Amino acid sequence: MSYLASDKLVPEHQSTEASTWVDTANNLGTAAGSTTAEFLVAQSSSAMAKPLLR
């Protein structure tokens, strides 16, 4: 969807650059999301394990 929007919003001679920025934003969002998920899982796992260790 974002690639289609960028193609319609930018001039034709800048479509490659626009697609590159869309791809960069997508990759950054994916990396941030997976890092956040990993942190949350690690926090919840240690919090859930503490009562079991007593």
Side-chain angles (χ1 to χ4, degrees):
M1 182 75 177
S2 55
Y3 290 103
L4 294 174
S6 70
D7 284 342
K8 289 184 179 185
L9 294 173
V10 299
E12 187 175 331
H13 68 279
Q14 292 179 325
S15 64
T16 301
E17 183 179 358
S19 293
T20 301
W21 280 112
V22 169
D23 196 33
T24 300
N26 184 36
N27 291 337
L28 182 61
T30 301
S34 62
T35 302
T36 302
E38 179 183 2
F39 175 77
L40 292 174
V41 167
Q43 294 300 313
S44 66
S45 296
S46 63
M48 294 177 84
K50 286 180 183 178
L52 299 174
L53 297 175
R54 292 184 184 174

